[in-house]
Amino acid sequence: MATSAFPLVLVYLAGIVIVDQATPDYLRLDVYAAVAPVAAAALCTYRQTLVVSAITLTVMVITHGILPERLPAMNRVAAIFGNLLMVGAGIAVALLRRERERLLERVSATGEAAQRALIRELPLHTRQLVVDGFYISAQKDALVGGDIYEAVETPFGTRVTIGDVQGKGLGAIGTGAAVLTAFREAAYHRRSLESTVKAMEEGLYRHYAESARDGDERFVTALVFGTEAAGPSGDPDPFSLSMTLVDCGHVAPYVIGADGTVRELESGEPGLPLGLGELAAGQRRPQHVRLPAGSRVVACTDGVTEARDASGAFYPLAKRLVQWAALPTVELLRRLEADLHAYTGGRMNDDVAVLVLDARPEPYGEAGGARVG
């Protein structure tokens, strides 16, 4: 905006001076030149405002103080002084505006860092998986909302989660942070996914207790994936992927095969969302699957499956995945994100998170130590 406004302000100022000099003395238009510094303060950068102010003041001094005029000396002095006041006001406004913008930049940088601490940038890498995807916050100017995801490498293999917190706003972000914190800690110390899920729910209950006075109790749907090494060397398919899945009431993921087939990875017995564990009695059983080499798992939140077009029709995710199954992961995600925006007309009413879990072409190595992807 500042780049395009600066020449326009200069053209305006030049036009005022030219017209003023071409009109009779009794028709004084130079007073409108004082508008230029104020306009520059609102539309241009601080330095550009200084340039416009200097030019304006110089023009007024030349026309009223150097060039011969028929106006009384008092009128000329008053014109210069009035213009000087407007120049000062313009510079003051520009200075305040610059300081405000710098403050907003600092606040924005701090907020972005805080949000990135909650949701890390994709792709995430472990020795077994590349987890790529995208995230769209329904809240304007926010990087994250109520959807969560994470992928970590642990001594037991790779652990991945994707979840959707009930509701929106700061309360949903706080709840998501509590669940993610519990997941990151438990994944390193608990071998079984059932135990990890239990720890995630315990973290959610602790968050409930801390925010009980606000009545902020939300449930969280989630998928938790765990991968283990393929069979021993000599396995006829050493790059296949053994995966365990625990479903906590979340949207079912899809598997894209190396041959381009797409199928829904349905849980045998979907569990209840986190936060409703007291009603779960024996549910949330792990599901074990073996995925052939070249398979990819696509997981998302209901911001995708419940996105609607202008007629109210839901987004046809399965059909889109079939169309794009042969594409590389990066291109598939690019098309999916662009198509979601086009399908909804840019009106995202819910947060969107999409993950693609792609097996790396190497078995889980013998080198020790877990590392974060």
Side-chain angles (χ1 to χ4, degrees), residues 74-347:
M74 183 61 68
N75 288 14
R76 295 199 300 271
V77 171
I80 295 174
F81 183 72
N83 188 271
L84 182 61
L85 289 178
M86 294 298 289
V87 165
I91 293 175
V93 170
L95 182 60
L96 291 174
R97 181 165 166 257
R98 184 183 67 171
E99 293 303 315
R100 185 193 66 177
E101 289 174 351
R102 288 179 175 177
L103 176 61
L104 288 176
E105 288 176 0
R106 292 194 295 269
V107 171
S108 177
T110 302
E112 181 174 348
Q115 292 178 85
R116 288 302 182 197
L118 175 62
I119 298 293
R120 295 192 293 156
E121 290 190 75
L122 295 164
L124 302 173
H125 299 262
T126 72
R127 281 181 289 177
Q128 287 181 285
L129 293 176
V130 176
V131 181
D132 205 350
F134 61 86
Y135 194 112
I136 304 172
S137 175
Q139 186 174 349
K140 186 179 179 181
D141 299 326
L143 295 177
V144 301
D147 289 354
I148 55 175
Y149 65 80
E150 183 59 290
V152 294
E153 186 172 313
T154 79
F156 318 115
T158 297
R159 300 293 183 258
V160 180
T161 189
I162 183 171
D164 186 356
V165 181
Q166 174 198 21
K168 301 178 182 179
L170 293 177
I173 294 175
T175 300
V179 173
L180 271 184
T181 300
F183 169 78
R184 288 165 175 158
E185 179 67 18
Y188 282 99
H189 300 289
R190 305 194 182 195
R191 177 180 293 275
S192 73
L193 287 194
E194 304 98 295
S195 179
T196 299
V197 169
K198 182 178 180 181
M200 293 167 68
E201 190 160 53
E202 289 171 350
L204 182 58
Y205 287 147
R206 288 194 298 271
H207 177 71
Y208 285 170
E210 294 169 359
S211 58
R213 60 181 179 278
D214 301 322
D216 187 22
E217 294 191 7
R218 304 165 186 262
F219 64 80
V220 180
T221 67
L223 293 174
V224 181
F225 300 91
T227 64
E228 298 177 1
S233 59
D235 189 310
D237 191 8
F239 299 131
S240 64
L241 187 66
S242 176
M243 178 176 288
T244 303
L245 165 65
V246 176
D247 181 358
C248 303
H250 198 75
V251 178
Y254 289 87
V255 175
I256 301 177
D259 57 357
T261 58
V262 176
R263 64 183 177 90
E264 188 175 285
L265 188 58
E266 295 183 353
S267 300
E269 189 176 353
L272 293 177
L274 302 175
L276 303 178
E278 295 176 354
L279 306 176
Q283 294 188 20
R284 297 182 187 152
R285 295 190 178 93
Q287 177 184 2
H288 303 280
V289 294
R290 186 69 173 269
L291 302 178
S295 298
R296 292 174 288 177
V297 177
V298 180
C300 67
T301 57
D302 62 11
V304 177
T305 56
E306 295 182 3
R308 298 172 182 260
D309 63 9
S311 68
F314 290 114
Y315 184 74
L317 177 60
K319 292 182 179 179
R320 295 294 197 268
L321 292 179
V322 170
Q323 294 174 17
W324 303 327
L327 296 176
T329 297
V330 173
E331 179 63 15
L332 184 152
L333 289 168
R334 187 190 68 78
R335 294 223 186 161
L336 178 56
E337 183 174 5
D339 192 55
L340 268 172
H341 280 289
Y343 190 84
T344 61
R347 300 180 301 274

